[in-house]
Amino acid sequence: MPENHFGGKVAERYDESAADMFDPAVVGPVVDFLVELARGGAALELGIGTGRIALPLSQQGVRVAGIDLSEDMVAKLREKPGAEAIEVEIGDFATTKVEGTFSLAYLVFNTINNLTTQDEQVACFRNVAGHLEPGGCFVIEVGVPGLRTLPPGKRFQVFDFSDTHIGIDEYDVVNQGLISHHLSPVDGRWEIFSVPFRSVWPSELDLMARLAGMTLRERWSGWRREPFTSKSTKHVSVWEKPA
Ligand SMILES: C[S@@+](CC[C@H](N)C(=O)[O-])C[C@H]1O[C@@H](n2cnc3c(N)ncnc32)[C@H](O)[C@@H]1O
């Protein structure tokens, strides 16, 4: 089982520390996109966390189930109104099975990167394909590896700098490794929270989808279907299982 980086205090503070991602202006377009793709069927969220997307999606009438490694994150979800409609399995989303089949599976907010090996990411696509109905879709929202702005020989890239948060990505270029360091003031002291990731190229994800029998259907740079271009720093991609 992969290491759980979202237990205890991290889960306790998750909604507050990611407050901008809970803004209705951020969540609304994600939910609209997913409702449309679900086409009246059920949706499976990998890394459901505290329900940032699952709860509003469920409130739109989509049956939602989820998988998450962190009992503490799921406990926070369980405190929220509407959570009783959502079935959650505790486990690794690369391998955990959930009862039933789905017209949609989704993995948002860079969470595919939490699988730190290529093998685990490949296994995740296979696991998703096994849950999807024919014609079902898998959606991933993830950053494009930021290597174009990393000078040769350098490892660190500051991605946020404010009074309340300093974010630094540490690249291991050879292994596609990435550690995101987050520094936040807690009770007058700066605390560090570091999470290991594996960054992954869009084309590599397409190949993982093909290995799992799925093909690319759409790729955008955002949830409002903004075009994906050479300048895009993230993408929202949709792969389809053949009907
Ligand atoms: C950045 S949070 C995203 C939570 C939620 N999807 C959101 O958008 O707010 C990542 C979540 O994925 C879960 N997670 C990370 N790796 C996992 C794995 N291998 N299997 C299951 N859950 C995992 C973490 O426990 C955490 O709840």
Side-chain angles (χ1 to χ4, degrees):
M1 188 80 103
E3 200 179 330
N4 176 11
H5 297 280
F6 289 83
K9 282 189 204 164
V10 176
E12 195 54 49
R13 293 190 199 129
Y14 178 80
D15 288 14
E16 192 190 331
S17 63
D20 49 342
M21 294 297 284
F22 282 80
D23 187 323
V26 174
V27 171
V30 184
V31 171
D32 292 347
F33 190 102
L34 296 175
V35 167
E36 187 189 320
L37 273 187
R39 290 162 294 143
L44 174 64
E45 177 164 4
L46 312 184
I48 190 167
T50 64
R52 183 179 68 92
I53 301 301
L55 279 168
L57 185 60
S58 167
Q59 280 150 12
Q60 291 293 314
V62 177
R63 187 173 73 78
V64 182
I67 303 173
D68 206 288
L69 207 56
S70 169
E71 300 209 16
D72 293 344
M73 290 289 275
V74 175
K76 296 306 286 181
L77 162 64
R78 290 278 168 244
E79 289 172 5
K80 297 179 184 175
E84 60 288 347
I86 299 175
E87 180 203 334
V88 181
E89 285 292 329
I90 298 295
D92 175 8
F93 57 60
T95 51
T96 299
K97 306 275 179 268
V98 173
E99 187 113 7
T101 58
F102 299 84
S103 59
L104 171 69
Y106 64 97
L107 185 44
V108 296
F109 201 0
N110 298 321
T111 302
I112 184 71
N113 293 151
N114 282 101
L115 298 173
T116 55
T117 67
Q118 190 184 59
D119 281 350
E120 289 172 300
Q121 292 178 351
V122 166
C124 174
F125 274 80
R126 289 222 168 94
N127 194 28
V128 164
H131 284 90
L132 285 179
E133 293 154 5
C137 289
F138 182 30
V139 181
I140 284 187
E141 173 193 33
V142 66
V144 175
L147 297 184
R148 291 175 67 207
T149 51
L150 185 74
K154 300 290 182 207
R155 278 194 299 150
F156 295 101
Q157 204 169 58
V158 177
F159 62 87
D160 192 22
F161 194 97
S162 73
D163 291 345
T164 52
H165 180 244
I166 297 173
I168 302 171
D169 277 341
E170 178 181 359
Y171 283 88
D172 171 358
V173 176
V174 172
N175 298 304
Q176 280 181 225
L178 171 68
I179 303 175
S180 273
H181 303 286
H182 298 269
L183 289 112
S184 316
V186 179
D187 301 330
R189 297 176 58 241
W190 284 88
E191 278 191 7
I192 188 161
F193 164 56
S194 300
V195 194
F197 291 117
R198 177 180 189 272
S199 58
V200 59
W201 297 99
S203 55
E204 192 185 2
L205 291 169
D206 293 343
L207 194 55
M208 291 180 190
R210 280 176 65 176
L211 290 173
M214 296 185 276
T215 49
L216 182 67
R217 171 178 144 150
E218 300 172 45
R219 172 159 292 135
W220 310 101
S221 70
W223 293 102
R224 292 188 174 85
R225 292 190 161 82
E226 300 89 337
F228 181 73
T229 71
S230 61
K231 294 195 183 101
S232 303
T233 55
K234 65 173 257 189
H235 60 106
V236 173
S237 295
V238 182
W239 298 273
E240 194 172 37
K241 181 167 167 170

